[in-house]
Amino acid sequence: MMAKMTIKDMARLAGVSVSTVSLVLSNHGYVSAKTRRRVERIIAKHNYHPRQSARNLVSGRTGNMGFIISDIHLSGTEFFYSRVLLGAELEARKKDYYLLVTTVGDTFQPPQDAPRFLKGGDVDGVIIAGSVPEELVSYIHPLNIPYVLVDYKHPSIDSNLVQIENHDGACQAVEHLLRHGYRRIAFVGGSCRHASIRERFRGYQSALHQAGLSEVAQDDSLHFLVPEETTALIGARGINTLLDRAVQFDAVVCANDTTALGCLNALQERGLDVPGDMAVIGFDDIRYATETKPLLTTVHVPKLELGVQAVRLLFECLENPGGGLYHRSIGTELMVRESTSRVLAETGAAV
Amino acid sequence: MMAKMTIKDMARLAGVSVSTVSLVLSNHGYVSAKTRRRVERIIAKHNYHPRQSARNLVSGRTGNMGFIISDIHLSGTEFFYSRVLLGAELEARKKDYYLLVTTVGDTFQPPQDAPRFLKGGDVDGVIIAGSVPEELVSYIHPLNIPYVLVDYKHPSIDSNLVQIENHDGACQAVEHLLRHGYRRIAFVGGSCRHASIRERFRGYQSALHQAGLSEVAQDDSLHFLVPEETTALIGARGINTLLDRAVQFDAVVCANDTTALGCLNALQERGLDVPGDMAVIGFDDIRYATETKPLLTTVHVPKLELGVQAVRLLFECLENPGGGLYHRSIGTELMVRESTSRVLAETGAAV
DNA sequence: CTTTTATATCGAAGCGTTTCGATACCCTGT
DNA sequence: ACAGGGTATCGAAACGCTTCGATATAAAAG
C-alpha cells in the first residue's frame, strides 16, 4: 500500500518541525494547544506510529523483556506456567513492553544454549518461570541484567524472587483436613527436587507437628516422594504404593493437582470412595480440579498474579538500578470442594 | 560493568574501519583472511554483539514475528496451543527471529484491542493460533502484513493457512472402530462452531457412509454437539445425555481428548467398562491421554509441527511478497491404546 | 520601559548499524 | 608498459527517532 509514514512526513504535513512532532508524541516540553491539536489530527489521520527500533536506538532501552520457561513447563505438564505467562503479558502490555518468549531444555550449555536475547542485549530484563537448569541462572546472574525468578530458586545464588507461600498453603490444607476429623494424613508427590514441592512437604509436616501429630509427620511410610516430574501417573503410583504398604491413612495431601488427579483415579479404580474412605487434597488449583469427580479440594495459587508481580518487580529493578534484591511472596487460598468433605457429607446425609 | 561495546569500538580495537567490521559480521563483500581473523578475535574477546535495533532501523525489518493466541487457548483448555507456540519458537529461533507473544480476549474492538505490535509495525509477520474473534482477522487482513492462521479459518476471508487433516483423522478413528467390530458409533463434542470440530464430525459421518452405515451417520440421537468451549464436563454431559436417551451405542468418537476424558470419567461413574462395554476414542493426543485408565486411543495431531510449519510458511510469504496465499495441511496419526481394544482384550482373554 | 521568566518552536547532533560508491592495490593478458 | 578486472578497505550517507541547546515571542516583574 502506501509507503511507511515517518515522523518527517507528519512534520511536513502539519507544517511544523520534526522536533515539535516528537514533543507532541512524548508529551514532554512545551507545545501550544493549537499546534498539538493540529499535529494530533495529522497523526490520527495517517495512522502514524513511531518505529520502535528507532526509538530504542536513541533511548538505549529495548522495550522488551525476556520470558524464559523450560519447554517441559510450557507444554508438558500443566497450565500453571502458561497462566503465569499470561499474567506477565497483561502487565507488560500496560507499560508498553513486549515479551520475548523462549524455552530452554533440561540441559544447558552456557554459550550455545543461552537465549539469543541475552547475548544480543535485546531485552531490558528477564523473567524466568519455573525450574530451569541451574546453569542458566549462573549464566545470567553475572550478566548484569535484571532478572526475576518465579517459583524457583537457585541453591546458592541470591536473586530477585516471586514465590508462592507454599509452606503456608500446605498448612492450610492440613489444618482443613484436621478440622474435618482426618488424622492419618499422607503426602504424595513427585519432583521433590523442586524447592516449591519441598516447602509444601515441610508445611505439611509442621502443621502436623503443631497439631501434636508428630508421629504422622515423621512416619515415612506415609510419604511418597520421588524426584521425577509430577504427572498423574506418579500420583497413582504413590497412592498404590502407600496402599500396598498396608499402612493406615484416611487422607492424602498431594504435591500438586496433577498428582491429586492420579490419586483420584487410582482410588476409584481400587474401589475406594473419595471423600468417604479417603480425603484427597491438591495444590495449585488447575482447571481440571473443577472437572473431576468428586471436585478436588485444593490450595489455590494465583498464577496470573505471579506473572503480574514478576513484571512489576522487574520494572522496579529497572527504575531503581543497583537497588538490591527484591523478594515477593504470593499467598494462597484454600478451595474447599468435594474431595475432602467427609463431615459435610455426613451432615448432608443427616439433614 | 563495562559500557556497551559498539561496532566502532571493535573497529578501533582491530585497527580497521567500521565498514570492514560490518563486512566481517555479515559475510558479504571482500575481506582478507587475515583481517577477518583479527576482527573476529577482537569480537570474541569482547563478546560484542550488534544491537538489533540499529540493524532493524537500517534494514527496515524488525526481526520479530507476532504470535497471537486467545487467552482461553493459552491457559484455559489444554496444552495444545502451548505446543504450537513451542514449535513456532524453535523454528523462529533458527532464523534468528523473536516471537512477540500476545493474547486476545473473546471480544475484540478493532483499534483498542489490537496488539500493539500491529499498530507499531514491530513485527514482520503474524501467526494466529487457534480460534480468535473474527474481527481480529478482518482487522489484520487489510493491514498488508503477512499472517498465517493455524487451526482456524475466517468464514469469508481467505488467508494463509496451516490446518490439521481433521476430516481424514476422524475417518481413521471411525475405521479403526469399525475394524474392531464396533457399529453403533456416537459422536460427542463441544465447540461445534470451530471449523476443526465440524470437520471432525464430517469425517466421522463420511467414514460411516463409506462403510454403509448411513443410518448411524444421520442419526442425531447419537450425536451430542454444543457450542460451548470443550471441557471434560462437556464430555461427561454428552455421554450422560446419550445414555439417558436410551439409544443403543457401543463406541463414541470425541471431538477432542478433553472431551474424551470427561466421557471416560462419566462412564466409569456409571459403572460401564471401557473398552468392554464401550469404546472411547479421542482427538489431539494431549498428554493426559497417556495418563488415563484405560489409556486413551486417539488421533495424534503433531502440535509442534503446526508451529514449525506456520513459521516456515510465514517466511515464505516474507521472501516472496505478493506471492499469493499458501495452504498447508498437517496429517494425523492414529494412536491405538487401550480404550478401544475390545478385540484385543478378548484375544488376550482367550490366550 | 527594561529585565526576567515562562512558553513555543526549531535545527542539528547523535544513537549503532548497513551499504553504496570511491580509492588503491595487485595480478593477468596483450 | 598499460588497460582491465578481481580483491581489499574505507568514508560517508542513510535509517527514524529523541534531545539538547538556540532562538523568538509573550507575559510577568522590577
Side-chain angles (χ1 to χ4, degrees):
Chain A
M1 211 129 295
M2 53 196 164
K4 275 255 166 62
M5 298 270 104
T6 76
I7 199 173
K8 267 186 199 154
D9 298 314
M10 295 305 110
R12 189 168 34 74
L13 261 24
V16 297
S17 77
V18 166
S19 359
T20 302
V21 178
S22 180
L23 291 186
V24 170
L25 249 18
S26 64
N27 242 334
H28 263 345
Y30 296 111
V31 182
S32 72
K34 213 180 96 190
T35 307
R36 151 157 283 123
R37 252 198 314 282
R38 186 149 38 91
V39 171
E40 275 169 349
R41 268 205 7 176
I42 294 286
I43 287 181
K45 178 173 165 195
H46 294 82
N47 190 33
Y48 162 75
H49 288 273
R51 304 273 276 103
Q52 201 55 42
S53 24
R55 294 186 134 173
N56 296 161
L57 183 53
V58 31
S59 72
R61 1 153 296 160
T62 66
N64 297 327
M65 10 212 290
F67 191 100
I68 306 180
I69 184 172
S70 86
D71 44 20
I72 300 178
H73 279 152
L74 211 210
S75 70
T77 54
E78 62 225 26
F79 319 116
F80 195 99
Y81 294 104
S82 307
R83 286 194 74 76
V84 176
L85 170 57
L86 179 55
E89 208 281 319
L90 293 174
E91 187 67 16
R93 191 186 295 185
K94 287 190 195 162
K95 315 257 191 177
D96 255 306
Y97 259 70
Y98 290 125
L99 241 42
L100 300 185
V101 177
T102 198
T103 56
V104 291
D106 47 357
T107 68
F108 181 82
Q109 293 290 327
Q112 313 94 299
D113 297 346
R116 298 151 296 155
F117 53 64
L118 288 179
K119 311 183 194 169
D122 291 330
V123 293
D124 298 332
V126 176
I127 292 174
I128 299 179
S131 62
V132 293
E134 287 181 17
E135 296 81 8
L136 211 208
V137 179
S138 328
Y139 174 83
I140 292 188
H141 192 77
L143 246 38
N144 222 34
I145 182 175
Y147 72 96
V148 8
L149 264 31
V150 180
D151 189 29
Y152 178 65
K153 196 183 163 334
H154 189 280
S156 58
I157 296 175
D158 203 13
S159 320
N160 293 296
L161 257 31
V162 172
Q163 293 181 293
I164 303 166
E165 292 187 354
N166 290 300
H167 190 95
D168 179 64
C171 287
Q172 289 178 54
V174 170
E175 285 158 11
H176 166 77
L177 291 172
L178 292 172
R179 267 198 307 280
H180 282 243
Y182 298 98
R183 285 294 173 274
R184 305 274 311 162
I185 304 174
F187 187 96
V188 167
S191 222
C192 64
R193 285 176 331 194
H194 192 297
S196 281
I197 304 293
R198 281 201 310 272
E199 288 166 17
R200 290 171 190 185
F201 180 59
R202 297 235 184 75
Y204 150 88
Q205 288 186 302
S206 73
L208 286 171
H209 273 117
Q210 292 276 309
L213 292 169
S214 300
E215 78 283 4
V216 175
Q218 309 289 8
D219 185 353
D220 277 348
S221 66
L222 285 172
H223 307 151
F224 181 84
L225 281 164
V226 291
E228 286 111 295
E229 267 296 324
T230 45
T231 62
L233 257 23
I234 295 284
R237 206 167 84 208
I239 269 293
N240 285 322
T241 305
L242 295 190
L243 289 172
D244 292 347
R245 279 182 193 155
V247 291
Q248 275 297 84
F249 64 108
D250 54 4
V252 52
V253 172
C254 297
N256 61 23
D257 287 352
T258 310
T259 314
L261 293 183
C263 290
L264 247 29
N265 287 343
L267 287 167
Q268 185 160 39
E269 204 176 332
R270 292 179 77 133
L272 290 171
D273 181 56
V274 176
D277 301 321
M278 175 93 55
V280 174
I281 194 163
F283 208 114
D284 284 352
D285 195 20
I286 65 176
R287 174 157 174 178
Y288 270 127
T290 61
E291 296 187 351
T292 54
K293 206 64 183 172
L295 300 179
L296 185 66
T297 294
T298 189
V299 179
H300 175 79
V301 175
K303 302 154 219 54
L304 282 188
E305 188 64 13
L306 287 176
V308 169
Q309 292 299 333
V311 170
R312 294 227 182 111
L313 200 153
L314 201 45
F315 279 122
E316 282 177 32
C317 296
L318 291 178
E319 284 159 14
N320 184 8
L325 294 172
Y326 301 82
H327 290 194
R328 209 97 105 198
S329 270
I330 309 294
T332 60
E333 186 189 353
L334 186 69
M335 308 299 284
V336 178
R337 292 200 267 256
E338 300 172 352
S339 66
T340 56
S341 45
R342 179 163 71 180
V343 171
L344 296 177
E346 281 168 359
T347 312
V351 173
Chain B
M1 212 126 296
M2 55 198 163
K4 274 254 164 63
M5 298 269 102
T6 75
I7 198 174
K8 268 185 198 156
D9 299 314
M10 294 306 109
R12 189 168 35 76
L13 260 25
V16 297
S17 76
V18 166
S19 0
T20 302
V21 178
S22 180
L23 291 186
V24 170
L25 250 17
S26 64
N27 243 334
H28 263 347
Y30 296 112
V31 182
S32 72
K34 212 180 97 189
T35 307
R36 150 160 285 124
R37 253 198 313 281
R38 186 149 38 93
V39 172
E40 275 168 349
R41 267 208 6 180
I42 294 286
I43 288 180
K45 178 173 166 194
H46 294 82
N47 191 32
Y48 162 75
H49 288 274
R51 307 273 278 103
Q52 202 53 45
S53 23
R55 293 186 136 172
N56 295 162
L57 183 54
V58 29
S59 70
R61 3 152 297 161
T62 68
N64 298 326
M65 8 212 291
F67 191 98
I68 305 179
I69 183 170
S70 86
D71 43 21
I72 300 179
H73 278 151
L74 176 58
S75 70
T77 53
E78 62 223 26
F79 320 115
F80 195 98
Y81 293 106
S82 307
R83 286 194 73 77
V84 175
L85 171 56
L86 180 54
E89 208 282 319
L90 293 172
E91 186 68 15
R93 191 187 296 185
K94 287 190 194 162
K95 315 257 190 176
D96 254 305
Y97 259 70
Y98 290 125
L99 241 43
L100 262 32
V101 177
T102 199
T103 57
V104 291
D106 47 357
T107 67
F108 181 82
Q109 293 291 327
Q112 312 96 299
D113 298 346
R116 298 150 298 154
F117 54 62
L118 289 178
K119 310 183 196 169
D122 291 329
V123 293
D124 298 333
V126 175
I127 292 174
I128 298 179
S131 63
V132 292
E134 287 181 16
E135 295 81 7
L136 211 208
V137 179
S138 327
Y139 173 84
I140 293 188
H141 193 77
L143 245 40
N144 222 34
I145 182 174
Y147 71 96
V148 8
L149 265 31
V150 181
D151 190 30
Y152 177 65
K153 197 183 163 331
H154 189 280
S156 57
I157 296 174
D158 204 12
S159 321
N160 293 299
L161 258 29
V162 173
Q163 293 179 292
I164 303 165
E165 292 187 354
N166 290 299
H167 189 98
D168 180 63
C171 287
Q172 288 179 54
V174 170
E175 284 159 12
H176 166 76
L177 291 171
L178 292 172
R179 267 198 309 279
H180 282 243
Y182 298 97
R183 285 294 173 274
R184 306 273 311 161
I185 304 174
F187 188 95
V188 167
S191 223
C192 64
R193 286 175 330 195
H194 193 296
S196 281
I197 304 294
R198 284 202 309 272
E199 288 166 17
R200 291 173 189 183
F201 180 60
R202 298 237 184 72
Y204 150 89
Q205 288 187 303
S206 76
L208 286 171
H209 273 118
Q210 292 275 309
L213 292 169
S214 300
E215 76 284 5
V216 175
Q218 310 288 7
D219 184 353
D220 278 345
S221 65
L222 285 173
H223 308 149
F224 180 84
L225 280 165
V226 291
E228 286 110 295
E229 266 297 323
T230 45
T231 63
L233 256 23
I234 295 285
R237 205 167 86 206
I239 269 294
N240 285 323
T241 304
L242 294 189
L243 288 172
D244 292 346
R245 277 181 194 155
V247 291
Q248 274 298 85
F249 64 106
D250 55 4
V252 52
V253 173
C254 297
N256 60 23
D257 286 353
T258 309
T259 314
L261 292 182
C263 291
L264 247 29
N265 287 341
L267 287 166
Q268 186 160 39
E269 203 176 335
R270 293 180 74 134
L272 290 170
D273 181 59
V274 177
D277 301 320
M278 174 94 54
V280 174
I281 193 163
F283 210 113
D284 283 352
D285 196 19
I286 65 176
R287 175 158 171 177
Y288 271 126
T290 61
E291 298 187 349
T292 53
K293 205 67 183 168
L295 301 179
L296 185 66
T297 294
T298 189
V299 178
H300 175 79
V301 175
K303 299 152 221 56
L304 281 187
E305 188 65 13
L306 287 176
V308 169
Q309 291 300 333
V311 170
R312 294 227 181 112
L313 200 154
L314 202 44
F315 279 121
E316 283 178 32
C317 295
L318 291 177
E319 284 159 14
N320 185 5
L325 295 172
Y326 300 81
H327 290 195
R328 208 98 103 199
S329 271
I330 310 295
T332 59
E333 187 189 351
L334 186 69
M335 309 299 283
V336 178
R337 293 201 267 256
E338 300 172 352
S339 66
T340 55
S341 45
R342 180 162 72 179
V343 172
L344 297 177
E346 283 169 357
T347 314
V351 174

